[in-house]
Amino acid sequence: MRGRIKKDESTGRYEIHLGGVKNRLRDILSSSRIIFVACGSSYHACLAARQVVEELTDVPVSVELASDFNDRKCPLFRSDTCVFVSQSGETKDTLESLSYARGVDAVTVGVVNVVGSEISRQTSCGIHLNAGSEIGVASTKAYTSQIVALVMFALQLSHDRNSKDARRQEILAALHEMPCQIESSIKRIDEVTRRLAKSLEQSTSILLSGRG
């Protein structure tokens, strides 16, 4: 979010700037629908962000699993905007979906973490997550960064809609404060973890149980 959300200290208002999609905003806003296409955790990030995108843009939004999208050959039109979300920017099924969307001249948007990846090169415009390398198997920072990026995408699309201004400012203010809140939460968790580790250091065995 750094450099993308700014607060005007004189007015107290927040503004957002996503340079990667700025030149295609008119085309996206004139779309008959927005289709998110992704795999795995990226697909779930799209599901999490869909409601906010619909709320702020008043454009119908659907979320497609890339493999299913390819198998069905989902009907696409030039009036559609397809948003392809991928951490690596190289996901095979998502790339196949992108090729299909380009074939019907739909507007294509890439949301990726890797600069210069195949999806970022082939889409009409896009947003880079700038989340750094995802080292673990479980996607954590990439997943949360994707949700934030898609919410910012919705905020950018609704930047000139007076009827959505109050809601936009509410979301922008929350996003602006989020880094400090995350830092505070990590510190609290670290303290709790250290106390827990201290209480367990003499244990000969530990049984963990859970579900889901």
Side-chain angles (χ1 to χ4, degrees), residues 166-189:
R167 179 61 171 148
R168 286 184 75 255
Q169 290 300 312
E170 179 185 1
I171 297 173
L172 282 165
L175 289 175
H176 189 262
E177 296 299 322
M178 190 167 64
C180 293
Q181 294 174 347
I182 291 175
E183 184 177 358
S184 176
S185 296
I186 291 175
K187 287 181 179 178
R188 289 199 302 271
I189 292 171

mmCIF file with all atom_site columns, all heavy atoms in Angstrom, residues 166-189:
data_model
loop_
_atom_site.group_PDB
_atom_site.id
_atom_site.type_symbol
_atom_site.label_atom_id
_atom_site.label_alt_id
_atom_site.label_comp_id
_atom_site.label_asym_id
_atom_site.label_entity_id
_atom_site.label_seq_id
_atom_site.pdbx_PDB_ins_code
_atom_site.Cartn_x
_atom_site.Cartn_y
_atom_site.Cartn_z
_atom_site.occupancy
_atom_site.B_iso_or_equiv
_atom_site.pdbx_formal_charge
_atom_site.auth_seq_id
_atom_site.auth_comp_id
_atom_site.auth_asym_id
_atom_site.auth_atom_id
_atom_site.pdbx_PDB_model_num
ATOM 1   N N   . ALA A 1 166 ? -18.534 8.275   1.130  1.00 0.00 ? 166 ALA A N   1
ATOM 2   C CA  . ALA A 1 166 ? -18.439 8.007   2.569  1.00 0.00 ? 166 ALA A CA  1
ATOM 3   C C   . ALA A 1 166 ? -17.874 6.615   2.826  1.00 0.00 ? 166 ALA A C   1
ATOM 4   O O   . ALA A 1 166 ? -17.000 6.425   3.681  1.00 0.00 ? 166 ALA A O   1
ATOM 5   C CB  . ALA A 1 166 ? -19.812 8.160   3.220  1.00 0.00 ? 166 ALA A CB  1
ATOM 6   N N   . ARG A 1 167 ? -18.366 5.648   2.074  1.00 0.00 ? 167 ARG A N   1
ATOM 7   C CA  . ARG A 1 167 ? -17.889 4.269   2.231  1.00 0.00 ? 167 ARG A CA  1
ATOM 8   C C   . ARG A 1 167 ? -16.426 4.159   1.792  1.00 0.00 ? 167 ARG A C   1
ATOM 9   O O   . ARG A 1 167 ? -15.629 3.466   2.441  1.00 0.00 ? 167 ARG A O   1
ATOM 10  C CB  . ARG A 1 167 ? -18.771 3.335   1.407  1.00 0.00 ? 167 ARG A CB  1
ATOM 11  C CG  . ARG A 1 167 ? -18.366 1.868   1.473  1.00 0.00 ? 167 ARG A CG  1
ATOM 12  C CD  . ARG A 1 167 ? -18.429 1.312   2.863  1.00 0.00 ? 167 ARG A CD  1
ATOM 13  N NE  . ARG A 1 167 ? -18.242 -0.132  2.870  1.00 0.00 ? 167 ARG A NE  1
ATOM 14  C CZ  . ARG A 1 167 ? -17.676 -0.806  3.846  1.00 0.00 ? 167 ARG A CZ  1
ATOM 15  N NH1 . ARG A 1 167 ? -17.259 -0.185  4.943  1.00 0.00 ? 167 ARG A NH1 1
ATOM 16  N NH2 . ARG A 1 167 ? -17.544 -2.117  3.775  1.00 0.00 ? 167 ARG A NH2 1
ATOM 17  N N   . ARG A 1 168 ? -16.054 4.845   0.721  1.00 0.00 ? 168 ARG A N   1
ATOM 18  C CA  . ARG A 1 168 ? -14.674 4.824   0.246  1.00 0.00 ? 168 ARG A CA  1
ATOM 19  C C   . ARG A 1 168 ? -13.738 5.380   1.313  1.00 0.00 ? 168 ARG A C   1
ATOM 20  O O   . ARG A 1 168 ? -12.685 4.799   1.590  1.00 0.00 ? 168 ARG A O   1
ATOM 21  C CB  . ARG A 1 168 ? -14.518 5.641   -1.036 1.00 0.00 ? 168 ARG A CB  1
ATOM 22  C CG  . ARG A 1 168 ? -15.096 4.992   -2.281 1.00 0.00 ? 168 ARG A CG  1
ATOM 23  C CD  . ARG A 1 168 ? -14.813 5.832   -3.515 1.00 0.00 ? 168 ARG A CD  1
ATOM 24  N NE  . ARG A 1 168 ? -13.423 5.706   -3.913 1.00 0.00 ? 168 ARG A NE  1
ATOM 25  C CZ  . ARG A 1 168 ? -12.483 6.626   -3.719 1.00 0.00 ? 168 ARG A CZ  1
ATOM 26  N NH1 . ARG A 1 168 ? -12.770 7.752   -3.092 1.00 0.00 ? 168 ARG A NH1 1
ATOM 27  N NH2 . ARG A 1 168 ? -11.245 6.425   -4.143 1.00 0.00 ? 168 ARG A NH2 1
ATOM 28  N N   . GLN A 1 169 ? -14.108 6.503   1.904  1.00 0.00 ? 169 GLN A N   1
ATOM 29  C CA  . GLN A 1 169 ? -13.263 7.116   2.921  1.00 0.00 ? 169 GLN A CA  1
ATOM 30  C C   . GLN A 1 169 ? -13.124 6.222   4.146  1.00 0.00 ? 169 GLN A C   1
ATOM 31  O O   . GLN A 1 169 ? -12.056 6.152   4.762  1.00 0.00 ? 169 GLN A O   1
ATOM 32  C CB  . GLN A 1 169 ? -13.818 8.487   3.320  1.00 0.00 ? 169 GLN A CB  1
ATOM 33  C CG  . GLN A 1 169 ? -13.687 9.555   2.239  1.00 0.00 ? 169 GLN A CG  1
ATOM 34  C CD  . GLN A 1 169 ? -12.228 9.791   1.847  1.00 0.00 ? 169 GLN A CD  1
ATOM 35  O OE1 . GLN A 1 169 ? -11.358 9.959   2.701  1.00 0.00 ? 169 GLN A OE1 1
ATOM 36  N NE2 . GLN A 1 169 ? -11.964 9.809   0.548  1.00 0.00 ? 169 GLN A NE2 1
ATOM 37  N N   . GLU A 1 170 ? -14.190 5.518   4.494  1.00 0.00 ? 170 GLU A N   1
ATOM 38  C CA  . GLU A 1 170 ? -14.155 4.591   5.626  1.00 0.00 ? 170 GLU A CA  1
ATOM 39  C C   . GLU A 1 170 ? -13.147 3.464   5.370  1.00 0.00 ? 170 GLU A C   1
ATOM 40  O O   . GLU A 1 170 ? -12.328 3.129   6.241  1.00 0.00 ? 170 GLU A O   1
ATOM 41  C CB  . GLU A 1 170 ? -15.552 4.010   5.849  1.00 0.00 ? 170 GLU A CB  1
ATOM 42  C CG  . GLU A 1 170 ? -15.626 3.004   6.995  1.00 0.00 ? 170 GLU A CG  1
ATOM 43  C CD  . GLU A 1 170 ? -17.007 2.364   7.098  1.00 0.00 ? 170 GLU A CD  1
ATOM 44  O OE1 . GLU A 1 170 ? -17.899 2.684   6.281  1.00 0.00 ? 170 GLU A OE1 1
ATOM 45  O OE2 . GLU A 1 170 ? -17.172 1.508   8.002  1.00 0.00 ? 170 GLU A OE2 1
ATOM 46  N N   . ILE A 1 171 ? -13.197 2.895   4.161  1.00 0.00 ? 171 ILE A N   1
ATOM 47  C CA  . ILE A 1 171 ? -12.288 1.799   3.812  1.00 0.00 ? 171 ILE A CA  1
ATOM 48  C C   . ILE A 1 171 ? -10.855 2.297   3.689  1.00 0.00 ? 171 ILE A C   1
ATOM 49  O O   . ILE A 1 171 ? -9.911  1.652   4.175  1.00 0.00 ? 171 ILE A O   1
ATOM 50  C CB  . ILE A 1 171 ? -12.740 1.121   2.500  1.00 0.00 ? 171 ILE A CB  1
ATOM 51  C CG1 . ILE A 1 171 ? -14.118 0.478   2.684  1.00 0.00 ? 171 ILE A CG1 1
ATOM 52  C CG2 . ILE A 1 171 ? -11.717 0.074   2.054  1.00 0.00 ? 171 ILE A CG2 1
ATOM 53  C CD1 . ILE A 1 171 ? -14.716 -0.060  1.402  1.00 0.00 ? 171 ILE A CD1 1
ATOM 54  N N   . LEU A 1 172 ? -10.676 3.454   3.062  1.00 0.00 ? 172 LEU A N   1
ATOM 55  C CA  . LEU A 1 172 ? -9.337  4.014   2.900  1.00 0.00 ? 172 LEU A CA  1
ATOM 56  C C   . LEU A 1 172 ? -8.681  4.317   4.247  1.00 0.00 ? 172 LEU A C   1
ATOM 57  O O   . LEU A 1 172 ? -7.488  4.062   4.451  1.00 0.00 ? 172 LEU A O   1
ATOM 58  C CB  . LEU A 1 172 ? -9.394  5.281   2.045  1.00 0.00 ? 172 LEU A CB  1
ATOM 59  C CG  . LEU A 1 172 ? -9.539  5.070   0.534  1.00 0.00 ? 172 LEU A CG  1
ATOM 60  C CD1 . LEU A 1 172 ? -9.960  6.362   -0.152 1.00 0.00 ? 172 LEU A CD1 1
ATOM 61  C CD2 . LEU A 1 172 ? -8.244  4.546   -0.065 1.00 0.00 ? 172 LEU A CD2 1
ATOM 62  N N   . ALA A 1 173 ? -9.466  4.853   5.181  1.00 0.00 ? 173 ALA A N   1
ATOM 63  C CA  . ALA A 1 173 ? -8.933  5.160   6.515  1.00 0.00 ? 173 ALA A CA  1
ATOM 64  C C   . ALA A 1 173 ? -8.499  3.872   7.217  1.00 0.00 ? 173 ALA A C   1
ATOM 65  O O   . ALA A 1 173 ? -7.446  3.825   7.870  1.00 0.00 ? 173 ALA A O   1
ATOM 66  C CB  . ALA A 1 173 ? -9.981  5.890   7.338  1.00 0.00 ? 173 ALA A CB  1
ATOM 67  N N   . ALA A 1 174 ? -9.301  2.811   7.065  1.00 0.00 ? 174 ALA A N   1
ATOM 68  C CA  . ALA A 1 174 ? -8.965  1.529   7.692  1.00 0.00 ? 174 ALA A CA  1
ATOM 69  C C   . ALA A 1 174 ? -7.692  0.941   7.082  1.00 0.00 ? 174 ALA A C   1
ATOM 70  O O   . ALA A 1 174 ? -6.830  0.423   7.805  1.00 0.00 ? 174 ALA A O   1
ATOM 71  C CB  . ALA A 1 174 ? -10.133 0.562   7.538  1.00 0.00 ? 174 ALA A CB  1
ATOM 72  N N   . LEU A 1 175 ? -7.563  1.032   5.759  1.00 0.00 ? 175 LEU A N   1
ATOM 73  C CA  . LEU A 1 175 ? -6.358  0.529   5.094  1.00 0.00 ? 175 LEU A CA  1
ATOM 74  C C   . LEU A 1 175 ? -5.126  1.326   5.501  1.00 0.00 ? 175 LEU A C   1
ATOM 75  O O   . LEU A 1 175 ? -4.040  0.771   5.685  1.00 0.00 ? 175 LEU A O   1
ATOM 76  C CB  . LEU A 1 175 ? -6.531  0.590   3.568  1.00 0.00 ? 175 LEU A CB  1
ATOM 77  C CG  . LEU A 1 175 ? -7.502  -0.415  2.945  1.00 0.00 ? 175 LEU A CG  1
ATOM 78  C CD1 . LEU A 1 175 ? -7.639  -0.141  1.450  1.00 0.00 ? 175 LEU A CD1 1
ATOM 79  C CD2 . LEU A 1 175 ? -7.025  -1.852  3.170  1.00 0.00 ? 175 LEU A CD2 1
ATOM 80  N N   . HIS A 1 176 ? -5.297  2.634   5.657  1.00 0.00 ? 176 HIS A N   1
ATOM 81  C CA  . HIS A 1 176 ? -4.178  3.501   6.035  1.00 0.00 ? 176 HIS A CA  1
ATOM 82  C C   . HIS A 1 176 ? -3.657  3.140   7.422  1.00 0.00 ? 176 HIS A C   1
ATOM 83  O O   . HIS A 1 176 ? -2.443  3.231   7.684  1.00 0.00 ? 176 HIS A O   1
ATOM 84  C CB  . HIS A 1 176 ? -4.639  4.963   5.993  1.00 0.00 ? 176 HIS A CB  1
ATOM 85  C CG  . HIS A 1 176 ? -3.528  5.954   6.155  1.00 0.00 ? 176 HIS A CG  1
ATOM 86  N ND1 . HIS A 1 176 ? -3.234  6.550   7.372  1.00 0.00 ? 176 HIS A ND1 1
ATOM 87  C CD2 . HIS A 1 176 ? -2.618  6.433   5.270  1.00 0.00 ? 176 HIS A CD2 1
ATOM 88  C CE1 . HIS A 1 176 ? -2.209  7.368   7.211  1.00 0.00 ? 176 HIS A CE1 1
ATOM 89  N NE2 . HIS A 1 176 ? -1.817  7.316   5.952  1.00 0.00 ? 176 HIS A NE2 1
ATOM 90  N N   . GLU A 1 177 ? -4.557  2.728   8.318  1.00 0.00 ? 177 GLU A N   1
ATOM 91  C CA  . GLU A 1 177 ? -4.165  2.391   9.683  1.00 0.00 ? 177 GLU A CA  1
ATOM 92  C C   . GLU A 1 177 ? -3.725  0.939   9.840  1.00 0.00 ? 177 GLU A C   1
ATOM 93  O O   . GLU A 1 177 ? -3.136  0.566   10.855 1.00 0.00 ? 177 GLU A O   1
ATOM 94  C CB  . GLU A 1 177 ? -5.341  2.652   10.638 1.00 0.00 ? 177 GLU A CB  1
ATOM 95  C CG  . GLU A 1 177 ? -5.751  4.121   10.739 1.00 0.00 ? 177 GLU A CG  1
ATOM 96  C CD  . GLU A 1 177 ? -4.616  4.988   11.273 1.00 0.00 ? 177 GLU A CD  1
ATOM 97  O OE1 . GLU A 1 177 ? -3.881  4.524   12.163 1.00 0.00 ? 177 GLU A OE1 1
ATOM 98  O OE2 . GLU A 1 177 ? -4.465  6.122   10.774 1.00 0.00 ? 177 GLU A OE2 1
ATOM 99  N N   . MET A 1 178 ? -3.999  0.125   8.836  1.00 0.00 ? 178 MET A N   1
ATOM 100 C CA  . MET A 1 178 ? -3.761  -1.316  8.964  1.00 0.00 ? 178 MET A CA  1
ATOM 101 C C   . MET A 1 178 ? -2.308  -1.700  9.256  1.00 0.00 ? 178 MET A C   1
ATOM 102 O O   . MET A 1 178 ? -2.062  -2.578  10.097 1.00 0.00 ? 178 MET A O   1
ATOM 103 C CB  . MET A 1 178 ? -4.250  -2.044  7.708  1.00 0.00 ? 178 MET A CB  1
ATOM 104 C CG  . MET A 1 178 ? -4.262  -3.557  7.872  1.00 0.00 ? 178 MET A CG  1
ATOM 105 S SD  . MET A 1 178 ? -5.181  -4.391  6.561  1.00 0.00 ? 178 MET A SD  1
ATOM 106 C CE  . MET A 1 178 ? -4.174  -3.958  5.143  1.00 0.00 ? 178 MET A CE  1
ATOM 107 N N   . PRO A 1 179 ? -1.304  -1.100  8.618  1.00 0.00 ? 179 PRO A N   1
ATOM 108 C CA  . PRO A 1 179 ? 0.088   -1.486  8.942  1.00 0.00 ? 179 PRO A CA  1
ATOM 109 C C   . PRO A 1 179 ? 0.426   -1.339  10.421 1.00 0.00 ? 179 PRO A C   1
ATOM 110 O O   . PRO A 1 179 ? 1.081   -2.220  11.004 1.00 0.00 ? 179 PRO A O   1
ATOM 111 C CB  . PRO A 1 179 ? 0.922   -0.532  8.073  1.00 0.00 ? 179 PRO A CB  1
ATOM 112 C CG  . PRO A 1 179 ? 0.036   -0.209  6.924  1.00 0.00 ? 179 PRO A CG  1
ATOM 113 C CD  . PRO A 1 179 ? -1.341  -0.135  7.498  1.00 0.00 ? 179 PRO A CD  1
ATOM 114 N N   . CYS A 1 180 ? -0.015  -0.249  11.042 1.00 0.00 ? 180 CYS A N   1
ATOM 115 C CA  . CYS A 1 180 ? 0.248   -0.046  12.470 1.00 0.00 ? 180 CYS A CA  1
ATOM 116 C C   . CYS A 1 180 ? -0.479  -1.084  13.315 1.00 0.00 ? 180 CYS A C   1
ATOM 117 O O   . CYS A 1 180 ? 0.060   -1.590  14.316 1.00 0.00 ? 180 CYS A O   1
ATOM 118 C CB  . CYS A 1 180 ? -0.176  1.356   12.898 1.00 0.00 ? 180 CYS A CB  1
ATOM 119 S SG  . CYS A 1 180 ? 0.806   2.682   12.172 1.00 0.00 ? 180 CYS A SG  1
ATOM 120 N N   . GLN A 1 181 ? -1.695  -1.429  12.915 1.00 0.00 ? 181 GLN A N   1
ATOM 121 C CA  . GLN A 1 181 ? -2.465  -2.425  13.646 1.00 0.00 ? 181 GLN A CA  1
ATOM 122 C C   . GLN A 1 181 ? -1.825  -3.809  13.532 1.00 0.00 ? 181 GLN A C   1
ATOM 123 O O   . GLN A 1 181 ? -1.789  -4.566  14.504 1.00 0.00 ? 181 GLN A O   1
ATOM 124 C CB  . GLN A 1 181 ? -3.903  -2.452  13.131 1.00 0.00 ? 181 GLN A CB  1
ATOM 125 C CG  . GLN A 1 181 ? -4.675  -1.173  13.422 1.00 0.00 ? 181 GLN A CG  1
ATOM 126 C CD  . GLN A 1 181 ? -6.039  -1.160  12.773 1.00 0.00 ? 181 GLN A CD  1
ATOM 127 O OE1 . GLN A 1 181 ? -6.337  -1.982  11.924 1.00 0.00 ? 181 GLN A OE1 1
ATOM 128 N NE2 . GLN A 1 181 ? -6.878  -0.218  13.183 1.00 0.00 ? 181 GLN A NE2 1
ATOM 129 N N   . ILE A 1 182 ? -1.312  -4.132  12.349 1.00 0.00 ? 182 ILE A N   1
ATOM 130 C CA  . ILE A 1 182 ? -0.638  -5.419  12.156 1.00 0.00 ? 182 ILE A CA  1
ATOM 131 C C   . ILE A 1 182 ? 0.622   -5.486  13.008 1.00 0.00 ? 182 ILE A C   1
ATOM 132 O O   . ILE A 1 182 ? 0.890   -6.501  13.673 1.00 0.00 ? 182 ILE A O   1
ATOM 133 C CB  . ILE A 1 182 ? -0.299  -5.636  10.667 1.00 0.00 ? 182 ILE A CB  1
ATOM 134 C CG1 . ILE A 1 182 ? -1.581  -5.838  9.851  1.00 0.00 ? 182 ILE A CG1 1
ATOM 135 C CG2 . ILE A 1 182 ? 0.644   -6.830  10.493 1.00 0.00 ? 182 ILE A CG2 1
ATOM 136 C CD1 . ILE A 1 182 ? -1.356  -5.933  8.372  1.00 0.00 ? 182 ILE A CD1 1
ATOM 137 N N   . GLU A 1 183 ? 1.394   -4.401  13.004 1.00 0.00 ? 183 GLU A N   1
ATOM 138 C CA  . GLU A 1 183 ? 2.621   -4.364  13.807 1.00 0.00 ? 183 GLU A CA  1
ATOM 139 C C   . GLU A 1 183 ? 2.312   -4.545  15.288 1.00 0.00 ? 183 GLU A C   1
ATOM 140 O O   . GLU A 1 183 ? 3.005   -5.284  16.003 1.00 0.00 ? 183 GLU A O   1
ATOM 141 C CB  . GLU A 1 183 ? 3.351   -3.051  13.573 1.00 0.00 ? 183 GLU A CB  1
ATOM 142 C CG  . GLU A 1 183 ? 4.692   -2.962  14.292 1.00 0.00 ? 183 GLU A CG  1
ATOM 143 C CD  . GLU A 1 183 ? 5.435   -1.670  13.972 1.00 0.00 ? 183 GLU A CD  1
ATOM 144 O OE1 . GLU A 1 183 ? 4.928   -0.870  13.160 1.00 0.00 ? 183 GLU A OE1 1
ATOM 145 O OE2 . GLU A 1 183 ? 6.514   -1.474  14.542 1.00 0.00 ? 183 GLU A OE2 1
ATOM 146 N N   . SER A 1 184 ? 1.258   -3.883  15.753 1.00 0.00 ? 184 SER A N   1
ATOM 147 C CA  . SER A 1 184 ? 0.859   -4.006  17.155 1.00 0.00 ? 184 SER A CA  1
ATOM 148 C C   . SER A 1 184 ? 0.418   -5.429  17.484 1.00 0.00 ? 184 SER A C   1
ATOM 149 O O   . SER A 1 184 ? 0.761   -5.972  18.539 1.00 0.00 ? 184 SER A O   1
ATOM 150 C CB  . SER A 1 184 ? -0.274  -3.020  17.456 1.00 0.00 ? 184 SER A CB  1
ATOM 151 O OG  . SER A 1 184 ? -0.747  -3.171  18.764 1.00 0.00 ? 184 SER A OG  1
ATOM 152 N N   . SER A 1 185 ? -0.320  -6.048  16.574 1.00 0.00 ? 185 SER A N   1
ATOM 153 C CA  . SER A 1 185 ? -0.795  -7.419  16.791 1.00 0.00 ? 185 SER A CA  1
ATOM 154 C C   . SER A 1 185 ? 0.368   -8.401  16.857 1.00 0.00 ? 185 SER A C   1
ATOM 155 O O   . SER A 1 185 ? 0.386   -9.311  17.699 1.00 0.00 ? 185 SER A O   1
ATOM 156 C CB  . SER A 1 185 ? -1.758  -7.825  15.671 1.00 0.00 ? 185 SER A CB  1
ATOM 157 O OG  . SER A 1 185 ? -2.919  -7.035  15.687 1.00 0.00 ? 185 SER A OG  1
ATOM 158 N N   . ILE A 1 186 ? 1.351   -8.218  15.971 1.00 0.00 ? 186 ILE A N   1
ATOM 159 C CA  . ILE A 1 186 ? 2.514   -9.107  15.955 1.00 0.00 ? 186 ILE A CA  1
ATOM 160 C C   . ILE A 1 186 ? 3.284   -9.017  17.272 1.00 0.00 ? 186 ILE A C   1
ATOM 161 O O   . ILE A 1 186 ? 3.740   -10.025 17.814 1.00 0.00 ? 186 ILE A O   1
ATOM 162 C CB  . ILE A 1 186 ? 3.429   -8.782  14.761 1.00 0.00 ? 186 ILE A CB  1
ATOM 163 C CG1 . ILE A 1 186 ? 2.735   -9.178  13.450 1.00 0.00 ? 186 ILE A CG1 1
ATOM 164 C CG2 . ILE A 1 186 ? 4.774   -9.492  14.888 1.00 0.00 ? 186 ILE A CG2 1
ATOM 165 C CD1 . ILE A 1 186 ? 3.496   -8.780  12.206 1.00 0.00 ? 186 ILE A CD1 1
ATOM 166 N N   . LYS A 1 187 ? 3.420   -7.798  17.792 1.00 0.00 ? 187 LYS A N   1
ATOM 167 C CA  . LYS A 1 187 ? 4.117   -7.626  19.068 1.00 0.00 ? 187 LYS A CA  1
ATOM 168 C C   . LYS A 1 187 ? 3.389   -8.343  20.193 1.00 0.00 ? 187 LYS A C   1
ATOM 169 O O   . LYS A 1 187 ? 4.006   -8.989  21.049 1.00 0.00 ? 187 LYS A O   1
ATOM 170 C CB  . LYS A 1 187 ? 4.254   -6.137  19.382 1.00 0.00 ? 187 LYS A CB  1
ATOM 171 C CG  . LYS A 1 187 ? 5.277   -5.402  18.522 1.00 0.00 ? 187 LYS A CG  1
ATOM 172 C CD  . LYS A 1 187 ? 5.368   -3.938  18.907 1.00 0.00 ? 187 LYS A CD  1
ATOM 173 C CE  . LYS A 1 187 ? 6.416   -3.217  18.061 1.00 0.00 ? 187 LYS A CE  1
ATOM 174 N NZ  . LYS A 1 187 ? 6.493   -1.773  18.389 1.00 0.00 ? 187 LYS A NZ  1
ATOM 175 N N   . ARG A 1 188 ? 2.047   -8.225  20.222 1.00 0.00 ? 188 ARG A N   1
ATOM 176 C CA  . ARG A 1 188 ? 1.267   -8.895  21.270 1.00 0.00 ? 188 ARG A CA  1
ATOM 177 C C   . ARG A 1 188 ? 1.380   -10.411 21.139 1.00 0.00 ? 188 ARG A C   1
ATOM 178 O O   . ARG A 1 188 ? 1.536   -11.125 22.141 1.00 0.00 ? 188 ARG A O   1
ATOM 179 C CB  . ARG A 1 188 ? -0.197  -8.464  21.198 1.00 0.00 ? 188 ARG A CB  1
ATOM 180 C CG  . ARG A 1 188 ? -0.453  -7.031  21.628 1.00 0.00 ? 188 ARG A CG  1
ATOM 181 C CD  . ARG A 1 188 ? -1.912  -6.822  21.966 1.00 0.00 ? 188 ARG A CD  1
ATOM 182 N NE  . ARG A 1 188 ? -2.777  -7.137  20.845 1.00 0.00 ? 188 ARG A NE  1
ATOM 183 C CZ  . ARG A 1 188 ? -3.142  -6.264  19.908 1.00 0.00 ? 188 ARG A CZ  1
ATOM 184 N NH1 . ARG A 1 188 ? -2.690  -5.011  19.962 1.00 0.00 ? 188 ARG A NH1 1
ATOM 185 N NH2 . ARG A 1 188 ? -3.944  -6.610  18.925 1.00 0.00 ? 188 ARG A NH2 1
ATOM 186 N N   . ILE A 1 189 ? 1.302   -10.909 19.899 1.00 0.00 ? 189 ILE A N   1
ATOM 187 C CA  . ILE A 1 189 ? 1.406   -12.351 19.672 1.00 0.00 ? 189 ILE A CA  1
ATOM 188 C C   . ILE A 1 189 ? 2.789   -12.853 20.088 1.00 0.00 ? 189 ILE A C   1
ATOM 189 O O   . ILE A 1 189 ? 2.928   -13.929 20.673 1.00 0.00 ? 189 ILE A O   1
ATOM 190 C CB  . ILE A 1 189 ? 1.131   -12.683 18.189 1.00 0.00 ? 189 ILE A CB  1
ATOM 191 C CG1 . ILE A 1 189 ? -0.345  -12.411 17.862 1.00 0.00 ? 189 ILE A CG1 1
ATOM 192 C CG2 . ILE A 1 189 ? 1.486   -14.133 17.879 1.00 0.00 ? 189 ILE A CG2 1
ATOM 193 C CD1 . ILE A 1 189 ? -0.660  -12.504 16.389 1.00 0.00 ? 189 ILE A CD1 1
#
